[in-house]
Amino acid sequence: MDQPFSRYTPIPKCPMKQYPFAYFIGIGGIGMSALARLLAAKGCRVFGYDRTDADLVKTLRAEGITIHCEETIEAIPEAIRTHPTQTLVVYTPAIPDNSPLLVYCRKQGYALQTRAALLGAISNTLPTVAVAGTHGKTTTSALVAHLLHHSTLPMIAFVGGVVQGYETNLLHNCALDAVELMIAEADEFNRSFLHLHPTHSIVTSMDADHPETYVSLADMEASYLEFLRQTTQTIVVHHKVAERLQIDSDHPAACLTYGLHQGAVQATNIVADPRGSRFDCVTTDSCITHVQLPLPGLHNIENALAAIALCLTLGLSQTAIRSALAAFPGIKRRFSFVLETERLVCIDDYAHHPMEIRALVASVRTLYPHSHLTVLFQPHLFSRTYAYYQAFAEQLSLADRVLLLPIYPAREAPTPGVTAELILHALTCKQKALVTMAALEAQLTPLPEATHQVFLLVGAGDIGDAVGGIADLLRTLFR
């Protein structure tokens, strides 16, 4: 049985209830799709646009949401065009300000709201756990969501990835009108997380990223501090973040630090294998022994420590936490094994920052120390590539071979002179090449029979939609 926890005020009617129609511009984003699913579940007629007919878009269509991929006024569904005063338009920063769809909706007087503002409006109706950090926030928020889903606390969670087993990024364990707690990722891009005023927060990490948003490290740190000062009850912070931000006793919320070997919550007796790890979680006043985590990598143990610390604060018992963690099904595109034979392993991961690649490659090297490692990497954003191409090259060079795809632009227009060649020329590994998806087969031929190979498919762009095809190609080549 879980220990008693404080009961929260149930969620009232959706604050967007006055809009029977919703139109999501950029619905294929993970954060957007979770909100679209919520409004659809609450009876709103949801429509959307996205640039590509990606797998997530197809899934949303199968769930009954009408989506078009033409960025023209004529493609806007008739129900949206004929009900401007009854439609809420939700858009993502990935959509340029001069988008014909946005321009039309503004001119016609639609109610417009950003994804971050809508998430903030919903979170203001009930207590919220917000998970922030340059790296680890999706895994950590998924772990928290999974633990609470298995508890008796009525909850809803917006996760920045599709949780395997649940096959969705919107998790809830009760009727939507009975929810008492919300879990959400707090995105630092565009300072979106400042729309949230959570009761509980987690910050997993804080590295330089989003040069289009933050002019300096000090600017980024100030935003994180503001986010934490908007938290009213408890903050769970990685010990390195706490040191950098100089969080002290004057902070308005109680602070718990964590880390592998530093902080109020730590891990001991760690045993790791390719499919996960086992450890003891030690806090200042207790110890949860024999914790089984079905996720590989030391960084995921730290993510689990953050989730454990938060859930202990909410009143979950050690027994409940241990049992639920052992059953965690994983997240798509987070160290996901997509192919495994005697001759090769293929792993798919969303890593799109140099430090994420560093942790990923280090974990693979630990698990497969004698294997030949190939990384197929798709850079994400021109601004990020230009700002960090040397750091990308440094971390990617830890592999035996690096294959670079063209930059995935997402929300950005091309920048003259900024291509994947910037990374290529800075790589120090001996085997490296620029590739395209169409010409990938020639680069994936097997090495001599005795060599075990690991292939990492890495990046936050549309490489995720190509994973199945790449796995099929490898399966054919390594027969």
Side-chain angles (χ1 to χ4, degrees), residues 28 30 33 37 50 52-63 67 162 332-333 348 462-469:
I30 287 289
S33 61
R37 282 168 161 153
D50 203 77
T52 59
D53 198 18
D55 290 345
L56 181 54
V57 169
K58 294 173 183 176
T59 300
L60 292 172
R61 281 203 191 102
E63 295 173 9
I67 303 172
V162 176
K332 289 184 178 179
R333 304 220 62 228
D348 177 35
D462 56 6
I463 187 175
D465 290 333
V467 168

Side-chain angles (χ1 to χ4, degrees), residues 176-473:
L176 292 178
D177 60 358
V179 169
E180 297 182 6
L181 183 66
M182 171 175 156
I183 301 95
E185 286 196 26
D187 188 2
E188 75 276 16
F189 167 65
N190 208 29
R191 307 182 204 270
S192 295
F193 58 179
L194 298 184
H195 285 278
L196 299 171
H197 292 76
T199 44
H200 307 275
S201 292
I202 296 174
V203 177
T204 61
S205 55
M206 193 176 58
D207 284 316
D209 197 6
H210 302 298
E212 73 281 42
T213 298
Y214 300 105
V215 299
S216 65
L217 283 174
D219 184 26
M220 181 190 70
E221 292 169 354
S223 283
Y224 271 92
L225 265 176
E226 185 175 353
F227 166 71
L228 288 174
R229 289 194 178 280
Q230 291 177 180
T231 304
T232 59
Q233 291 189 25
T234 307
I235 59 173
V236 177
V237 188
H238 192 277
H239 71 91
K240 291 183 179 178
V241 176
E243 291 166 7
R244 280 181 61 184
L245 295 181
Q246 298 182 340
I247 297 173
D248 53 31
S249 58
D250 292 333
H251 196 278
C255 178
L256 275 174
T257 58
Y258 71 94
L260 280 183
H261 308 300
Q262 292 187 56
V265 182
Q266 302 180 20
T268 61
N269 301 322
I270 297 171
V271 178
D273 63 51
R275 289 294 181 174
S277 57
R278 185 175 69 252
F279 60 94
D280 297 338
C281 174
V282 180
T283 72
T284 53
D285 56 6
S286 66
C287 178
I288 307 177
T289 58
H290 307 301
V291 176
Q292 297 278 353
L293 178 67
L295 294 175
L298 296 178
H299 60 292
N300 280 322
I301 295 178
E302 290 199 310
N303 293 333
L305 291 176
I308 291 170
L310 189 282
C311 288
L312 286 172
T313 298
L314 291 176
L316 272 65
S317 69
Q318 295 184 15
T319 300
I321 290 171
R322 185 190 295 109
S323 175
L325 269 183
F328 183 67
I331 312 162
K332 289 184 178 179
R333 304 220 62 228
R334 266 66 175 186
F335 215 106
S336 300
F337 286 81
V338 295
L339 184 60
E340 193 169 9
T341 72
E342 289 185 2
R343 297 178 64 191
L344 84 152
V345 168
C346 182
I347 298 170
D348 177 35
D349 198 274
Y350 190 76
H352 56 284
H353 185 279
M355 293 301 99
E356 293 169 351
I357 292 172
R358 178 180 181 177
L360 176 64
V361 172
S363 295
V364 171
R365 287 299 199 193
T366 300
L367 298 173
Y368 303 99
H370 305 297
S371 298
H372 182 277
L373 175 59
T374 296
V375 177
L376 174 63
F377 177 56
Q378 182 184 49
H380 186 262
L381 298 176
F382 295 100
S383 59
R384 181 182 285 125
T385 302
Y386 182 70
Y388 308 122
Y389 70 89
Q390 290 180 323
F392 276 121
E394 180 182 356
Q395 303 309 327
L396 288 167
S397 293
L398 298 174
D400 298 299
R401 176 172 55 173
V402 177
L403 306 176
L404 293 171
L405 289 164
I407 297 171
Y408 184 77
R411 56 187 172 266
E412 295 182 341
T415 301
V418 179
T419 70
E421 285 192 57
L422 287 174
I423 300 175
L424 180 76
H425 295 320
L427 288 169
T428 58
C429 55
K430 293 181 179 179
Q431 298 173 294
K432 57 185 180 180
L434 295 175
V435 298
T436 63
M437 285 295 184
L440 195 55
E441 181 174 351
Q443 297 288 345
L444 299 182
T445 52
L447 295 173
E449 193 74 24
T451 304
H452 183 266
Q453 292 184 243
V454 177
F455 292 87
L456 283 181
L457 314 181
V458 184
D462 56 6
I463 187 175
D465 290 333
V467 168
I470 295 172
D472 289 341
L473 177 59

Side-chain angles (χ1 to χ4, degrees), residues 76 80-85 87 89 104-106 108-112:
I76 298 175
I80 299 301
R81 285 189 280 122
T82 56
H83 295 92
T85 62
T87 298
V89 176
Y104 171 82
C105 290
R106 287 195 179 102
Q108 297 300 316
Y110 286 80
L112 276 82

Side-chain angles (χ1 to χ4, degrees), residues 26-35 49-50 56-57 60 92 94 115 169:
I27 196 170
I30 287 289
M32 291 282 278
S33 61
L35 288 168
Y49 155 79
D50 203 77
L56 181 54
V57 169
L60 292 172
T92 166
R115 175 195 61 80
N169 53 0

